[in-house]
Amino acid sequence: MAIRFWLGVVQRDHVLHGVAQGIAQFNHGSKAEVSRLREADGLIYYSPRVSFPDGDVLREFTALGRVADDSVYQATDGHQMTTAAGDTFRPWRRRIDYDREAHAVSIRPLIGTLDFTTSSPNWGYQLRRGLIELSRHDFDVIRAQMRAPSYR
């Protein structure tokens, strides 16, 4: 199977928590979303905000990694999530090998260069889905920026 590339849309505080655990989850722990990824697929996280639901606006690519294996699993420890109806559940996850040398970069200088930002004048609307497939071009461009020396 061919390697695919993904953009997960998650607030930065949740991304950092996932990086620390070596895991990824999308859309509040949806099994369907994490099941789309396969071993060796590339993953980049984009964080529109610092925290959920109304943290400061961020608009940065915040983590870079590869799917570690083909196992989709349900969390058995830690925080339980709650549905709108008040039911509790455990989120579905994937193991990710994160690039610890990558640093966050703004999307702003890349708008117009990335395929997914030139596909429509309202390109940001597609990010509401929480997980979109990226072209190889977009993944390579973002990865190069996240690995470039940081002068912060």
Side-chain angles (χ1 to χ4, degrees):
M1 218 174 225
I3 292 175
R4 295 166 72 185
F5 305 97
W6 302 95
L7 182 70
V9 181
V10 178
Q11 312 316 321
R12 183 180 66 188
D13 60 349
H14 292 172
V15 170
L16 297 177
H17 184 70
V19 169
Q21 291 187 321
I23 59 103
Q25 66 185 49
F26 312 101
N27 293 345
H28 308 288
S30 165
K31 183 178 183 181
E33 296 298 336
V34 293
S35 296
R36 295 174 64 191
L37 283 67
R38 298 283 181 249
E39 182 176 3
D41 281 359
L43 173 65
I44 293 173
Y45 269 121
Y46 172 74
S47 298
R49 294 187 173 274
V50 171
S51 59
F52 181 81
D54 53 6
D56 292 339
V57 172
L58 188 61
R59 296 187 183 118
E60 289 184 343
F61 298 106
T62 49
L64 168 67
R66 290 263 179 205
V67 180
D69 56 34
D70 252 340
S71 177
V72 174
Y73 70 95
Q74 195 167 24
T76 58
D77 58 345
H79 179 69
Q80 287 188 17
M81 300 182 83
T82 305
T83 68
D87 299 322
T88 60
F89 70 97
R90 300 236 180 234
W92 291 88
R93 297 177 169 170
R94 295 300 296 263
R95 280 191 339 100
I96 305 293
D97 293 325
Y98 285 102
D99 182 340
R100 304 294 178 161
E101 301 300 314
H103 61 275
V105 296
S106 173
I107 192 174
R108 286 178 187 88
L110 301 177
I111 294 172
T113 302
L114 301 171
D115 294 337
F116 84 89
T117 65
T118 60
S119 61
S120 157
N122 298 320
W123 59 265
Y125 190 76
Q126 67 188 315
L127 301 180
R128 293 175 180 253
R129 293 188 305 228
L131 182 68
I132 64 169
E133 189 167 358
L134 288 176
S135 67
R136 171 91 194 218
H137 167 266
D138 285 2
F139 185 84
D140 288 345
V141 167
I142 299 166
R143 178 178 55 191
Q145 292 298 308
M146 293 182 80
R147 289 182 171 170
S150 175
Y151 300 105
R152 291 181 187 200

